[in-house]
Amino acid sequence: MANIKEIAKLAKVSVSTVSRVLNDHAYVSGDKRKAVLEAIEHLNYSRNMSAVQLINGKTNVIGVMLPFINHPYFTGLVEGISAEALKNNYQLMLCQTDYNELNEINVLKMLKTKQIDGIIICSKHMPLDQIEPYARYGPIVACEDVGSSPVSSVFLDHYTSFRRGINYLIERGHRHIGFCLGRNNGVNSQMRRRAYVDALTSIQEAIREEWIFYQSYRIEDGVDVLRKLLQMETRPTALLVTSDQVAAGIIMEAGKNGLRVPEDLAVIGFDNQPIAEVFDLTTIDNQLYEMGSQAFRIAYDQIMKIRELPEYRELEYRLIERSSV
Amino acid sequence: MANIKEIAKLAKVSVSTVSRVLNDHAYVSGDKRKAVLEAIEHLNYSRNMSAVQLINGKTNVIGVMLPFINHPYFTGLVEGISAEALKNNYQLMLCQTDYNELNEINVLKMLKTKQIDGIIICSKHMPLDQIEPYARYGPIVACEDVGSSPVSSVFLDHYTSFRRGINYLIERGHRHIGFCLGRNNGVNSQMRRRAYVDALTSIQEAIREEWIFYQSYRIEDGVDVLRKLLQMETRPTALLVTSDQVAAGIIMEAGKNGLRVPEDLAVIGFDNQPIAEVFDLTTIDNQLYEMGSQAFRIAYDQIMKIRELPEYRELEYRLIERSSV
DNA sequence: CTGAAAGCGCTAACAC
DNA sequence: GTGTTAGCGCTTTCAG
């Protein structure tokens, strides 16, 4: 491959002039510019971006840390990040961690070794304090509430949104309420569990652990949940389900077993995915696209030094009323 | 940030010795190695990978070109790619093109400018001959049949698989058969359409354009398809649907409108996604995970010069019989 | 085993 | 406006 030197020679100019043309600098005369352009054309030249990155100390790449990509929650986030990245001439490094700490550390290390300019954490396993030391190498933005930290965040108040969901059910006469979560150790999950406990306590209902389901991510997990419900002597009359996919599975399987929604079982989903509309599912929209694009902006502004300090932005959830409650 | 020179000074060795330690070369005495390691530790040093990439002419990154990520077809592919990449210490650059030619060209250019070592094309819009010239800059692997080309490929015989699906329907007495595709101009789509025409011709059925649906990707698109079907005076009795999501939407909406599956409408899906099992959907598994991991291997082997020539690998589809036919 | 030195390809003072 | 030149941080001959 040709390099800048050969272009300079062919165009009979210096390498700096070539560089100026390449970077659209002013102060290059028309004919020299033209000569350079012709040489570039003629030699089919392209910049070697590794060299550019070395000298600029910048890659124009943002790392996206997530456990797995094949879930609408994460693709929703990524769509938002991606749209904003495209506008700002940034690329995305997709880093699937499987919630494995070693993989997560590797992503952080990529920041330190300058393979990426910043990181957006869609979801993580490792504790925050292991992440924080890396914030000095570039902006890190989490899509969950991290409190005050060198790590920025865009988040929803999952405590309030979950309580809002439960209250909505209580207002409609439900007292036997269960819920389904993804992980049981994430920040978001813990806040939700707390909201659940507080809400049930306020109406003097006992917490029944058998009505709480973890590791529910996909439609087939919802099917499993419903089947477990069928085994119980006392069933909850309502379920808060932190993924529309899982809620859809529950509703599907309920239908197969002659359980009516919402009469026999009310369901509230989360995320407001297209599948929620198809299933006429009442759901809590938590603005994934918006969250992703804001996360990118925060990272970007920090890379560009438009802003120096970490930022914490709270987004509003919305309750979408349909007919599953 | 500390650099290799400072490490050398602190460890009282030359930079080449530091480099040897960094790269696990043999022939470094125990105490020098230890001194270097201590200096690295002490200065919290990390390699600057931009410099490494410049000198090696290699990034250890593969670009993944796809129109959008929020569809199980693509996430399935990406999971396969990703698993193999992880094993081989490669990173993935996620390049969403929205089927926009300019975006697609940009991905190709990243290969030329050495931002990535190779490209896996999950799906594309632009014609192959615009892509081929870029194959000299690094391996390009397409997840569709590209014939004999400098571009490698992993693919299914979509003509045969589609015909197999239609014949399966015909054997069960169907003659009024429609289908749903994603795009209408992709290679895969064209082969499928041809299979459809040939099969119907062989049983002397006319092609009815109103039974052919394009731009069907998601569950809500399936809902639309079924609604359109309801408007027709003569409806197909069976549908071949190139996405389990769309098929699920069709079945959902059929149920709401009192149409029984398969009695009133038989449905075959594609991809064998989890949702197919939940809906008891007969489907054609086209091995997305396997396709993704093989695509990575082909690219990888070529980067590593284990193999020089492009490769064309055909995968086997499988018909998964459930109860929607 | 170790070090000196020559780049990899590019950018950006700095001088003219 | 343009060219010269000193790096960016690293790897790798080549001598010893």
Side-chain angles (χ1 to χ4, degrees):
Chain A
M1 275 295 293
N3 61 23
I4 202 175
K5 236 169 160 175
E6 295 178 44
I7 301 297
K9 200 196 296 172
L10 184 60
K12 298 190 201 311
V13 298
S14 71
V15 291
S16 25
T17 298
V18 178
S19 176
R20 287 188 189 105
V21 172
L22 252 22
N23 293 288
D24 280 325
H25 279 228
Y27 307 128
V28 182
S29 70
D31 33 336
K32 297 232 168 185
R33 160 165 276 121
K34 202 167 142 236
V36 169
L37 257 19
E38 274 169 13
I40 287 175
E41 178 76 12
H42 190 241
L43 262 43
N44 185 24
Y45 165 82
S46 275
R47 280 228 278 301
N48 180 328
M49 293 310 282
S50 293
V52 177
Q53 287 168 16
L54 170 58
I55 204 155
N56 290 339
K58 197 162 146 304
T59 61
N60 274 45
V61 177
I62 291 255
V64 179
M65 183 197 290
L66 38 71
F68 40 79
I69 184 74
N70 63 353
H71 191 282
Y73 180 86
F74 295 116
T75 52
L77 236 29
V78 170
E79 290 281 333
I81 298 169
S82 190
E84 208 61 30
L86 191 64
K87 278 188 219 158
N88 293 285
N89 193 27
Y90 253 77
Q91 297 296 330
L92 260 34
M93 198 78 93
L94 181 69
C95 306
Q96 292 200 87
T97 63
D98 208 14
Y99 283 135
N100 172 333
E101 204 155 313
L102 258 43
N103 293 336
E104 294 184 341
I105 291 175
N106 268 334
V107 182
L108 298 173
K109 282 194 181 152
M110 288 175 67
L111 190 58
K112 191 176 176 192
T113 59
K114 292 178 178 298
Q115 291 181 86
I116 51 182
D117 298 340
I119 297 178
I120 295 173
I121 300 178
C122 296
S123 184
K124 62 171 180 55
H125 175 83
M126 61 173 13
L128 189 63
D129 57 5
Q130 272 195 60
I131 297 176
E132 287 173 341
Y134 287 90
R136 54 186 296 250
Y137 304 117
I140 303 179
V141 185
C143 295
E144 60 182 33
D145 193 355
V146 295
S148 180
S149 158
V151 173
S152 297
S153 55
V154 194
F155 59 95
L156 260 70
D157 180 347
H158 288 287
Y159 179 89
T160 308
S161 81
F162 215 65
R163 248 198 114 147
R164 172 91 175 79
I166 298 176
N167 286 342
Y168 185 80
L169 293 170
I170 292 174
E171 285 159 21
R172 271 146 198 80
H174 294 280
R175 300 184 61 86
H176 289 181
I177 300 170
F179 70 91
C180 305
L181 293 183
R183 296 178 300 156
N184 55 16
N185 54 355
V187 179
N188 293 350
S189 297
Q190 277 167 14
M191 290 179 83
R192 286 161 163 175
R193 195 193 154 90
R194 203 152 52 72
Y196 176 78
V197 171
D198 290 353
L200 285 217
T201 305
S202 78
I203 57 164
Q204 281 134 359
E205 279 288 333
I207 310 301
R208 310 209 197 183
E209 291 296 334
E210 74 268 28
W211 290 352
I212 302 177
F213 300 88
Y214 291 107
Q215 303 300 328
S216 305
Y217 295 103
R218 302 167 197 294
I219 195 163
E220 61 270 32
D221 297 325
V223 172
D224 284 349
V225 165
L226 199 281
R227 286 184 185 155
K228 282 187 191 134
L229 247 41
L230 290 173
Q231 312 277 312
M232 298 179 181
E233 64 288 16
T234 327
R235 285 202 292 267
T237 62
L239 239 36
L240 219 55
V241 184
T242 58
S243 154
D244 289 337
Q245 318 299 310
V246 178
I250 290 173
I251 293 176
M252 266 294 290
E253 194 65 12
K256 281 191 192 165
N257 288 279
L259 243 56
R260 292 160 306 163
V261 173
E263 294 83 353
D264 301 321
L265 182 68
V267 181
I268 296 184
F270 276 78
D271 291 355
N272 194 25
Q273 302 277 355
I275 200 171
E277 196 172 348
V278 173
F279 277 80
D280 234 333
L281 178 66
T282 294
T283 187
I284 293 178
D285 184 337
N286 47 28
Q287 309 249 55
L288 295 176
Y289 187 95
E290 184 61 23
M291 186 175 281
S293 53
Q294 297 230 19
F296 180 87
R297 278 242 62 101
I298 292 176
Y300 183 81
D301 287 355
Q302 233 151 296
I303 292 168
M304 294 307 177
K305 316 272 186 215
I306 295 171
R307 210 175 276 104
E308 295 281 327
L309 294 172
E311 243 189 295
Y312 320 108
R313 284 194 210 155
E314 185 175 340
L315 261 36
E316 291 299 315
Y317 62 84
R318 293 181 306 150
L319 178 69
I320 314 287
E321 297 190 66
R322 297 207 183 89
S323 70
S324 65
V325 176
Chain B
M1 272 294 295
N3 61 24
I4 202 176
K5 234 167 159 176
E6 296 177 43
I7 302 297
K9 199 196 298 175
L10 184 60
K12 299 191 202 311
V13 297
S14 70
V15 291
S16 22
T17 297
V18 177
S19 177
R20 287 190 189 102
V21 173
L22 251 22
N23 293 288
D24 279 324
H25 279 227
Y27 307 127
V28 182
S29 71
D31 32 337
K32 297 230 168 183
R33 158 164 280 122
K34 202 167 142 237
V36 169
L37 258 18
E38 275 169 12
I40 287 174
E41 178 76 12
H42 190 240
L43 263 43
N44 185 25
Y45 166 82
S46 274
R47 280 226 279 300
N48 179 328
M49 294 309 282
S50 293
V52 176
Q53 287 169 15
L54 170 59
I55 202 154
N56 290 340
K58 198 163 144 301
T59 61
N60 275 47
V61 177
I62 291 252
V64 179
M65 183 198 292
L66 38 70
F68 39 79
I69 185 73
N70 63 351
H71 191 283
Y73 180 86
F74 296 116
T75 52
L77 236 28
V78 170
E79 289 282 333
I81 297 169
S82 189
E84 208 61 29
L86 192 64
K87 278 188 219 158
N88 293 284
N89 194 27
Y90 253 77
Q91 297 295 330
L92 261 34
M93 198 78 93
L94 181 69
C95 306
Q96 291 200 89
T97 64
D98 206 15
Y99 282 136
N100 172 333
E101 205 155 311
L102 257 43
N103 293 337
E104 294 184 342
I105 290 175
N106 266 337
V107 182
L108 297 173
K109 282 196 180 149
M110 288 175 66
L111 190 57
K112 191 175 175 193
T113 58
K114 293 178 176 302
Q115 292 182 85
I116 51 182
D117 298 341
I119 297 177
I120 295 174
I121 300 178
C122 296
S123 184
K124 62 173 179 56
H125 175 84
M126 59 172 18
L128 189 62
D129 56 6
Q130 274 196 60
I131 298 176
E132 287 174 341
Y134 287 89
R136 54 187 296 250
Y137 304 117
I140 303 179
V141 185
C143 295
E144 62 182 29
D145 193 355
V146 295
S148 179
S149 156
V151 173
S152 297
S153 56
V154 193
F155 59 96
L156 260 71
D157 181 348
H158 288 288
Y159 179 90
T160 308
S161 80
F162 214 65
R163 244 191 119 154
R164 172 91 175 81
I166 298 176
N167 286 342
Y168 185 80
L169 293 170
I170 292 173
E171 285 160 20
R172 272 145 198 82
H174 294 281
R175 302 184 59 85
H176 290 181
I177 300 170
F179 70 90
C180 305
L181 292 184
R183 295 178 301 155
N184 53 16
N185 54 354
V187 178
N188 292 351
S189 297
Q190 276 166 17
M191 291 179 82
R192 285 161 164 175
R193 195 193 155 91
R194 203 152 54 69
Y196 175 77
V197 170
D198 290 353
L200 285 217
T201 306
S202 80
I203 58 164
Q204 282 136 357
E205 279 287 336
I207 310 301
R208 310 209 198 183
E209 292 296 335
E210 74 269 28
W211 290 354
I212 302 178
F213 301 88
Y214 291 107
Q215 304 299 330
S216 305
Y217 296 102
R218 303 169 195 294
I219 195 163
E220 62 271 30
D221 297 325
V223 171
D224 284 348
V225 166
L226 199 281
R227 286 183 187 157
K228 281 187 192 134
L229 247 41
L230 290 174
Q231 312 279 312
M232 298 179 184
E233 65 289 15
T234 326
R235 285 201 292 266
T237 62
L239 241 35
L240 219 56
V241 184
T242 58
S243 154
D244 288 338
Q245 317 300 312
V246 178
I250 290 172
I251 293 176
M252 267 293 291
E253 193 65 14
K256 280 190 193 164
N257 289 279
L259 243 56
R260 292 160 306 162
V261 173
E263 295 83 352
D264 302 320
L265 181 68
V267 181
I268 296 184
F270 275 77
D271 292 354
N272 195 24
Q273 303 278 354
I275 200 172
E277 196 171 349
V278 173
F279 277 80
D280 234 333
L281 178 66
T282 294
T283 187
I284 292 178
D285 185 337
N286 47 28
Q287 309 248 54
L288 294 176
Y289 186 94
E290 183 63 22
M291 187 174 280
S293 54
Q294 297 230 19
F296 180 87
R297 278 241 64 98
I298 292 176
Y300 183 80
D301 287 355
Q302 234 152 293
I303 292 168
M304 295 306 178
K305 315 274 186 213
I306 294 171
R307 210 175 275 105
E308 295 281 328
L309 294 172
E311 243 189 296
Y312 320 108
R313 283 193 210 157
E314 185 176 339
L315 262 36
E316 293 298 317
Y317 62 85
R318 294 180 306 150
L319 178 69
I320 314 289
E321 297 189 65
R322 297 205 182 91
S323 71
S324 65
V325 176

